[in-house]
């Protein structure tokens, strides 16, 4: 075996060796800080949650006519949407609420059960023999409630997998007296 160049070796074009390359073609290390890759925001899931047979008790009402029922449906949907979508502060509750975004709600009342109007032994507030509309939020509420049964469809985005199809998304806006005061 010979180390002599062959005819094929002689016809190839020579290339520069790394030692003879120009120094500007090789990147030199710098002292400037390197930029770290940006962390991506958590992935949010689009959730559609349909519930049937939810109940809410309203104190101080005996019955809701068609226009009052439509108002309840609209205002409850608007309240829930504003509760989750209009959070821009950094307090702890808004940080919790901000885990649910782009919420839309559709409410449909399917039944109402009037309060027990028999006897005053259950603690109803009376005024001149008639029921008095409760004008303050108390805990526990006083009197016999009108019970509404309704269906709800929520669509929202969440970054927290524990909030997908969670009862907490439905109940949180009504959990505390300050929240319920905003609802009224």
């Amino acid at each position: 075996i010979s180390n002599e160049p062959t005819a094929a070796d002689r016809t190839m074009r020579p290339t520069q060796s790394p030692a003879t390359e120009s120094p500007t073609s090789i990147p030199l290390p710098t002292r400037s800080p390197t930029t770290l890759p940006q962390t991506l925001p958590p992935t949010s899931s689009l959730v559609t949650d349909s519930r049937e047979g939810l109940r809410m008790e309203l104190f101080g009402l005996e019955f809701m006519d068609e226009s009052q029922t439509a108002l309840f449906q609209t205002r409850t949907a608007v309240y829930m949407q504003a509760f989750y979508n209009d959070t821009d502060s950094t307090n702890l509750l808004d940080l919790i609420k901000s885990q649910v975004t782009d919420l839309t709600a559709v409410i449909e009342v399917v039944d109402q059960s009037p309060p027990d109007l028999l006897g005053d032994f259950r603690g109803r507030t009376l005024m001149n023999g008639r029921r008095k509309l409760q004008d303050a939020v108390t805990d526990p509420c006083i009197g016999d409630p009108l019970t509404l049964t309704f269906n709800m469809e929520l669509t929202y985005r969440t970054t927290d997998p524990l909030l997908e199809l969670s009862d907490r998304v439905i109940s949180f806006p009504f959990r505390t007296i300050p929240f319920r005061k905003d609802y009224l």
Side-chain angles (χ1 to χ4, degrees):
I1 296 192
S2 166
N3 286 336
E4 290 293 317
T6 65
D9 292 334
R10 288 185 206 127
T11 59
M12 295 178 63
R13 293 178 75 154
T15 60
Q16 283 187 326
S17 68
T20 61
E21 269 188 58
S22 121
T24 57
S25 64
I26 300 172
L28 297 174
T30 64
R31 289 186 167 261
S32 64
T34 58
T35 55
L36 296 175
Q38 295 289 330
T39 56
L40 297 174
T43 305
S44 67
S45 300
L46 181 63
V47 177
T48 299
D49 188 359
S50 297
R51 304 290 181 103
E52 294 181 354
L54 296 173
R55 293 187 326 194
M56 182 179 289
E57 294 180 334
L58 301 176
F59 290 81
L61 295 174
E62 294 177 8
F63 178 78
M64 290 187 353
D65 64 25
E66 191 174 311
S67 67
Q68 292 168 324
T69 300
L71 189 62
F72 169 83
Q73 293 172 155
T74 302
R75 289 212 173 151
T76 301
V78 166
Y79 169 71
M80 290 193 71
Q81 290 167 182
F83 184 86
Y84 285 111
N85 297 338
D86 297 343
T87 58
D88 58 358
S89 74
T90 57
N91 72 45
L92 180 60
L93 289 176
D94 280 347
L95 292 175
I96 294 169
K97 290 168 24 176
S98 68
Q99 293 178 20
V100 173
T101 58
D102 300 329
L103 182 130
T104 59
V106 177
I107 312 292
E108 176 193 20
V109 174
V110 294
D111 191 34
Q112 53 182 305
S113 301
D116 178 12
L117 298 177
L118 301 174
D120 295 331
F121 64 90
R122 295 182 73 184
R124 286 197 326 253
T125 304
L126 296 176
M127 178 182 240
N128 298 330
R130 299 189 63 197
R131 286 177 56 90
K132 177 184 172 198
L133 180 63
Q134 189 167 329
D135 57 0
V137 176
T138 60
D139 199 14
C141 296
I142 300 169
D144 296 327
L146 169 66
T147 303
L148 295 181
T149 304
F150 59 97
N151 300 333
M152 176 185 289
E153 182 173 301
L154 298 177
T155 303
Y156 58 92
R157 293 193 174 280
T158 183
T159 56
D160 184 349
L162 296 176
L163 292 178
E164 293 178 20
L165 305 176
S166 171
D167 290 341
R168 288 183 287 179
V169 173
I170 295 170
S171 63
F172 191 54
F174 305 99
R175 181 144 313 215
T176 68
I177 290 175
F179 291 170
R180 291 193 304 261
K181 282 183 181 178
D182 289 341
Y183 175 61
L184 293 177

